[in-house]
């Protein structure tokens, strides 16, 4: 085998890997390492690039499964022998020594040195992934040390080496310039960092105390916090494509090199292809086929770091950095008491966020920034091109049946946060859109952003009523509409119709539940043995929703009646719907204004004669809106709902983030049966 290995399934028998995992101790200065890290290999990538896209994706997944099996085989031997040989420790030290020269190697275009260093990191990453999957952090520490005199004792050196490797990964990410020849090692560093943190995947409970977390939140890693977060954000912003084949790989002069040249190049370029095609178990939009693997991995790592639980004595510094960074163009920004704050170009960040909302992770980042970073929120709400951000969010909600529930929730909460601002609620009705091609229920040649937002939210409510029946989704949709209601302006006639249509649907549902409750009561009276179904809760829920809809309509009529003739027209057209609620004790108060508006405008239209055109009716409504004394409408408290994060949000966000990681290219390294944090169905 040796240098002639030609496929992944031959790796367990490869002489170099067998020596690495065997019983013989290998010195850090042994020529073996150069042989191990300079191996030519007939990579799956060659076949990948020559085959069709679908075939290549399936083939590459199969190759990576074989690679995982090979890594497990090697690790089984390594776990048994490493406490005596310390070969993993030696490999890590070889990698650490090489990273000290990476900067100058990049400047000198030393392809071979960079690629060998990459190969060392790749082996470490593969081995680390298997070790973390199979053992606790305490057991992992055992494999990060070797003490020749007392092989059974493990002191501080193991902790230091683990921390040194973590710190080295951070330094590599933040300090090595991103060039064609360094792209692969930068990507591998980010990937290895994610793998280092993957111990959470193999625990059902949220990790609140972790050795890895401790290293990241204090000690040698802590001073790099802001630089790491900033670099990961810029990687996301820049969306650098992987270099063309041949520009980032050291080409050997002969076939006689060592094992990991080929594997590393094959996995690196192959992983880029897998990124491009979409990970296992994930739904990828067509636009993502050209995405940047480094940007994607950097964003995933950033989300993992942001959602680490606080240490007992200190808050998560990475979350603090995300909460406090500022705009580079804001010269008036006051010094922050947060030691981890930094500045970044908000315009570039905004542009990228707008372009990348087809992915769950970009939407989650947008949510985190809007919810936790007041500087970002203020900047975004001041933008005059909010349609660039809002339209992708609306499209997520519009295609609700194609999205996972978490993505839909994040999109909806983003809208709720935005609608907390009155300026946003006013401005969206001033933005006129033309030809919204993805909205298929009706041709919308011209509509305001505000009216479109109303249409999509109402559609989401109706979808939820007939499919998922999620009260949380209902509540947030209605809260967003309520926040906007006082600022409704020039509602599109179709938006006005859909508001009343939703009320009609709720009214029918109310009557149906009421009828079922009545019939059930009669049946129970006729038969003492039959159990009485509990319809009270269903009736209570639907009456809460009906009241909220009435309050939304009332808020619009009270605050902006003269701006919304189409809503008044829709009210008059369906005025019979509201008759049954006039005397209902739960709705009497909020029905007063609606009943007054219906009566006032009905009277004026009747006085104008019969067989009036739509245009004439709208003209009468506009004239009547001016004539109606405002003091006749009863004032109610302003409808304002503020998003409040659930208690212990980590119980939701940590599994969600790791499900995103799993569904990325890195997921191909993990066997589904090993995952404990979430079920594969929920992931």
């Amino acid at each position: 085998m040796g240098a002639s290995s030609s496929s992944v399934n031959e790796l367990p028998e490869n002489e170099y890997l067998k020596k690495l995992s065997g019983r013989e101790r290998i010195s850090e200065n042994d020529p073996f390492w150069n042989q191990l890290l300079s191996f030519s290999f007939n990579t799956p990538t060659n076949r990948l690039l020559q085959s069709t896209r679908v075939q290549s994706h399936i083939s590459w997944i199969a190759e990576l499964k074989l690679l995982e099996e090979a890594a497990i085989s090697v690790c089984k031997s390594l776990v048994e022998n490493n406490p005596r040989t310390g070969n993993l420790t030696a490999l890590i030290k070889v990698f650490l020594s090489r990273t000290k020269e990476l900067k100058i190697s990049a400047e000198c275009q030393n392809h071979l040195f960079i690629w060998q260093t990459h190969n060392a990191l790749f082996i470490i990453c593969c081995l680390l992934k298997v070790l973390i999957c199979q053992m606790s952090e305490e057991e992992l520490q055992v494999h990060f040390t070797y003490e020749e005199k007392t092989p059974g004792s493990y002191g501080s050196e193991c902790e230091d080496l683990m921390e040194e490797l973590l710190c080295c990964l951070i330094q590599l990410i933040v300090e090595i310039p991103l060039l064609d020849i360094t792209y692969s090692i930068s990507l591998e560093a980010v990937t290895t960092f994610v793998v280092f943190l993957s111990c959470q995947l193999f625990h059902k409970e949220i990790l609140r105390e972790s050795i890895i977390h401790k290293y990241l939140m204090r000690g040698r890693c802590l001073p790099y916090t802001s630089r790491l977060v900033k670099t990961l954000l810029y990687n996301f912003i820049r969306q650098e494509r992987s270099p063309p084949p041949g520009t980032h790989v050291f080409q050997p002069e002969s076939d006689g090199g060592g094992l990991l040249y080929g594997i590393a190049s094959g996995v690196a370029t192959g992983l880029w292809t897998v990124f491009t095609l979409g990970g296992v178990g994930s739904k990828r939009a067509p636009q993502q086929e050209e995405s940047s693997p480094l940007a994607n991995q950097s964003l995933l790592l950033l989300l993992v770091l942001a959602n680490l639980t606080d240490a007992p004595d200190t808050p998560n510094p990475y979350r603090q950095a995300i909460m406090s960074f500022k705009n580079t163009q804001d010269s008036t920004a006051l010094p922050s008491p947060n030691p981890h704050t930094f500045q970044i170009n908000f315009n570039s960040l905004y542009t990228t966020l707008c372009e990348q909302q087809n992915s769950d992770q970009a939407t989650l980042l947008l949510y985190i920034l809007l919810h936790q970073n007041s500087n970002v929120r203020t900047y975004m709400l001041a933008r005059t091109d909010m349609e660039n951000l809002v339209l992708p969010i609306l499209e997520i909600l519009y295609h609700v049946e194609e999205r996972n529930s978490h993505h839909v929730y994040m999109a909806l909460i983003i809208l709720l946060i935005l609608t907390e601002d009155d300026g946003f609620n006013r401005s969206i009705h001033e933005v006129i859109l033309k030809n919204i091609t993805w909205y298929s229920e009706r041709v919308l040649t011209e509509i305001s952003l505000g009216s479109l937002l109303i249409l999509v939210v109402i559609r989401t409510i109706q979808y939820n009523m007939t499919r998922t029946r999620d009260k949380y989704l209902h509540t947030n949709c209605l809260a967003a509409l309520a926040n906007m209601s006082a600022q409704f302006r020039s509602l599109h006639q179709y938006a006005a119709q859909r508001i009343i249509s939703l009320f009609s649907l709720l009214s029918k549902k109310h009557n149906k539940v009421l009828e079922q409750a009545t019939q059930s009561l009669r049946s129970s009276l006729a038969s003492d043995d039959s159990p009485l179904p509990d319809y009270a809760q269903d009736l209570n829920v639907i009456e809460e929703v009906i009241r909220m809809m009435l309050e939304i309509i009332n808020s619009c009529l009270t605050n902006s009646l003269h701006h919304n003739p189409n809503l008044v027209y829709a009210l008059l057209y369906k005025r019979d719907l509201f008759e049954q609620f006039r005397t209902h004790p739960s709705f009497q108060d909020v029905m007063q204004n609606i009943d007054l508006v219906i009566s006032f405008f009905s009277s004026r239209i009747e006085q104008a004669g019969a067989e009036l055109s739509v245009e004439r009716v709208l003209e009468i409504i506009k004239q009547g809106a001016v004539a109606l004394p405002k003091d006749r409408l009863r004032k109610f408290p302003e409808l304002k709902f503020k998003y409040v994060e659930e208690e212990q949000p980590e119980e939701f966000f940590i599994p969600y983030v790791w499900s995103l990681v799993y569904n990325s290219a890195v997921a191909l390294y993990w066997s589904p049966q090993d995952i404990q944090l979430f079920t594969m169905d929920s992931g």
Side-chain angles (χ1 to χ4, degrees), residues 575 601-610 612:
R575 56 182 174 269
F601 285 98
S602 294
S603 174
R604 293 181 72 91
I605 290 171
E606 288 173 6
Q607 293 173 12
L612 300 175

Side-chain angles (χ1 to χ4, degrees), residues 458-491:
I458 287 176
R459 185 180 184 275
T460 304
I461 294 173
Q462 291 179 323
Y463 176 86
N464 185 51
M465 287 177 64
T466 57
R467 305 284 183 87
T468 56
R469 300 182 180 181
D470 188 322
K471 184 180 178 181
Y472 180 79
L473 195 68
H474 258 30
T475 302
N476 284 284
C477 284
L478 291 168
L481 289 176
N483 285 346
M484 294 187 292
S485 60
Q487 307 292 338
F488 284 172
R489 293 290 187 277
S490 303
L491 290 183

Side-chain angles (χ1 to χ4, degrees), residues 272-498:
W272 294 332
T273 307
V274 172
F275 266 110
T276 298
L277 296 173
V280 170
S282 61
K283 290 187 177 181
R284 297 284 179 169
Q287 299 93 318
Q288 282 185 284
E289 293 186 354
E290 301 301 325
S291 67
S292 160
L294 180 60
N296 185 58
Q297 285 297 82
S298 295
L299 177 53
L300 289 169
L301 175 55
L302 182 65
L303 293 174
V304 170
L305 291 171
N307 285 282
L308 296 179
T309 55
D310 294 336
D313 55 347
T314 182
N316 179 349
Y318 303 95
R319 187 183 302 122
Q320 284 190 313
I322 289 172
M323 290 172 62
S324 61
F325 70 82
K326 301 176 181 179
N327 191 0
T328 53
Q329 299 175 344
D330 185 4
S331 58
T332 62
L334 297 174
S336 172
N338 189 330
H340 305 298
T341 193
F342 58 90
Q343 289 186 304
I344 203 166
N345 188 304
F346 277 16
N347 182 61
S348 300
L349 176 61
Y350 179 82
T351 301
T352 304
L353 283 168
C354 293
E355 293 171 350
Q356 298 297 319
Q357 285 306 303
N358 53 329
S359 77
D360 284 69
Q361 46 264 42
T363 304
L364 179 55
L365 176 64
L366 175 59
Y367 158 77
I368 290 172
L369 294 179
L370 280 173
H371 178 52
Q372 298 184 0
N373 190 314
S374 60
N375 301 316
V376 173
R377 183 169 60 252
T378 300
Y379 173 85
M380 288 187 176
L381 288 170
R383 295 280 303 205
T384 58
D385 59 348
M386 277 297 290
E387 67 273 16
N388 292 336
L389 185 66
V390 175
L391 281 173
I393 299 299
L394 294 182
E395 199 166 351
I396 293 169
L397 293 175
Y398 185 79
H399 295 112
V400 57
E401 64 279 355
E402 300 173 12
R403 304 287 181 174
N404 69 68
S405 59
H406 292 347
H407 199 182
V408 172
Y409 284 143
M410 289 299 100
L412 186 55
I413 292 170
I414 286 167
L415 286 185
L416 180 56
I417 292 171
L418 293 174
T419 60
E420 291 171 11
D421 183 76
D422 286 340
F424 171 83
N425 294 332
R426 285 191 297 270
S427 65
I428 55 175
H429 293 287
E430 298 167 1
V431 177
I432 304 301
L433 308 169
K434 296 182 183 295
N435 300 317
I436 308 300
T437 55
W438 48 262
Y439 193 95
S440 59
E441 274 85 350
R442 178 164 173 161
V443 176
L444 300 175
T445 54
E446 186 173 289
I447 189 171
S448 72
L449 179 60
S451 289
L452 180 63
L453 196 159
I454 293 167
L455 284 175
V456 172
V457 171
I458 287 176
R459 185 180 184 275
T460 304
I461 294 173
Q462 291 179 323
Y463 176 86
N464 185 51
M465 287 177 64
T466 57
R467 305 284 183 87
T468 56
R469 300 182 180 181
D470 188 322
K471 184 180 178 181
Y472 180 79
L473 195 68
H474 258 30
T475 302
N476 284 284
C477 284
L478 291 168
L481 289 176
N483 285 346
M484 294 187 292
S485 60
Q487 307 292 338
F488 284 172
R489 293 290 187 277
S490 303
L491 290 183
H492 191 280
Q493 60 179 7
Y494 186 53
Q497 290 170 15
R498 298 309 296 164

Side-chain angles (χ1 to χ4, degrees), residues 202-218:
F202 311 107
H203 291 79
K204 290 184 179 180
E205 304 298 326
I206 301 301
L207 286 180
R208 301 187 185 278
E209 292 187 10
S210 163
I211 296 170
I212 308 297
H213 296 182
K214 182 184 71 173
Y215 291 145
L216 292 176
M217 293 192 189
R218 56 176 69 104

